[in-house]
Amino acid sequence: AEAVLTASREHVTAEDSSRSTIDFKSQFTFGRTTATTCDFAHGRLPNPENSCSAVKETFVDSMGLTWAQAAALMGVHTLGRAHVSNSGYNGWWSSALMSRKFNNDYFVSILAKGWAPEASVAGNPAKNQWKRVDSGADDAALGKEMMLNTDLCLAFSMDDDGAVELDAATAAEAGCECAWGTPTAISTAITKYEDGHFCGSTDIPGRDDFKLQRAICCGAEFDKVSDAVIDCGLPLSPAGPAYSSIKQFANNEERWIKVFKGAWKIVTNNGFSLKRLRS
């Protein structure tokens, strides 16, 4: 895994030498053996259908990560995509182009794009996800962009208070038709990493013009004040358990890298000790 992350990070630094490299070698610990199959790992990763409850169970309770570290670790979803034939889900967590670069685009995408529930992916009611629906969504040019419950729940919730976790299967009937945040929260990310784009547009409405912000993030038909009923929580103050970290990582890649490396060290060394090699 470290080899893939290192190689895909080089795609980033080759384009911009001011971006930091990531050193995994200095904290690598010997002692693990390479498994040829991973049947034993079934069910150990968070089930996307169970939203942030699954993230908490796997990463916070079982592995001892903080919510910030759990969110940082989820940044590996910047790479690759989901296939219906493999997982039942379909699409890229970033654009197809970005999916080969290990950077903070995952966090930028969560907050700088608009997301609507997509129930029953490929006709399977057990597989539900979120699809990009803002003015920049372009499946033909960028590839289908999606997020899972376990991704978006880190920042957003179905209610204003953060008590109801995101669930793409039931979101529409609950009035949670679009998960989006305001541009003021990620102004640095928009300028530094998105070439001035917010929800696919460089014509960003004023900081208090929520109805037009919603229109470019959720659909042109949602351009009235009354359309606030479709929002998943409060766009001005999302209530997901790791929202503050998602916002920080979107605006500051260096901060994400630092937290990610700490989280990576914890999860790759859990349960292993050099003492076993000496006995």
Side-chain angles (χ1 to χ4, degrees):
E2 286 91 342
V4 173
L5 298 179
T6 299
S8 55
R9 183 61 184 174
E10 289 173 355
H11 293 152
V12 177
T13 56
E15 293 182 354
D16 183 354
S17 60
S18 69
R19 308 278 279 270
S20 297
T21 58
I22 302 180
D23 173 28
F24 289 106
K25 186 176 181 179
S26 63
Q27 65 181 36
F28 181 80
T29 301
F30 289 94
R32 288 183 177 275
T33 57
T34 299
T36 56
T37 62
C38 296
D39 295 340
F40 61 88
H42 179 71
R44 293 193 180 189
L45 292 177
N47 182 343
E49 297 300 313
N50 294 337
S51 201
C52 272
S53 289
V55 177
K56 183 177 184 295
E57 179 183 9
T58 301
F59 293 135
V60 179
D61 296 340
S62 297
M63 293 187 176
L65 300 183
T66 64
W67 274 106
Q69 290 171 328
L73 197 65
M74 295 289 279
V76 297
H77 277 170
T78 289
L79 302 175
R81 62 159 299 167
H83 284 282
V84 172
S85 58
N86 292 331
S87 65
Y89 300 103
N90 181 37
W92 312 84
W93 281 271
S94 297
S95 66
L97 177 62
M98 278 292 185
S99 70
R100 61 191 293 271
K101 301 176 182 179
F102 189 50
N103 57 19
N104 67 334
D105 188 68
Y106 169 78
F107 306 103
V108 177
S109 292
I110 287 176
L111 297 182
K113 299 174 182 178
W115 305 95
E118 180 183 2
S120 299
V121 177
N124 185 351
K127 299 293 181 178
N128 305 277
Q129 63 184 30
W130 298 77
K131 61 182 179 179
R132 184 181 180 185
V133 294
D134 63 57
S135 64
D138 188 339
D139 290 4
L142 301 175
K144 180 176 181 178
E145 295 181 63
M146 66 88 200
M147 290 281 172
L148 304 175
N149 286 335
T150 40
D151 300 306
L152 287 190
C153 75
L154 297 169
F156 302 103
S157 60
M158 300 244 278
D159 65 329
D160 295 350
D161 302 317
V164 183
E165 295 180 338
L166 279 190
D167 176 16
T170 62
E173 65 187 66
C176 170
E177 299 180 48
C178 185
W180 67 285
T182 60
T184 53
I186 51 168
S187 57
T188 299
I190 291 170
T191 301
K192 190 171 183 179
Y193 306 118
E194 283 291 283
D195 294 325
H197 288 79
F198 170 71
C199 284
S201 176
T202 55
D203 185 14
I204 303 174
R207 60 182 298 135
D208 297 322
D209 197 344
F210 301 122
K211 62 180 183 179
L212 290 186
Q213 291 174 18
R214 182 180 298 106
I216 64 172
C217 289
C218 304
E221 67 272 26
F222 301 116
D223 61 351
K224 300 181 292 297
V225 173
S226 59
D227 288 324
V229 295
I230 73 164
D231 296 342
C232 298
L234 298 172
L236 191 61
S237 55
Y243 169 66
S244 61
S245 295
I246 298 291
K247 180 173 69 171
Q248 187 178 54
F249 299 156
N251 286 311
N252 188 335
E253 186 180 69
E254 293 296 318
R255 178 58 183 165
W256 163 61
I257 290 174
K258 181 177 181 180
V259 178
F260 175 83
K261 288 181 66 177
W264 186 261
K265 184 175 182 178
I266 291 172
V267 301
T268 55
N269 285 283
N270 263 347
F272 288 81
S273 171
L274 285 176
K275 291 181 179 178
R276 296 184 181 183
L277 297 180
R278 300 189 184 105
S279 61

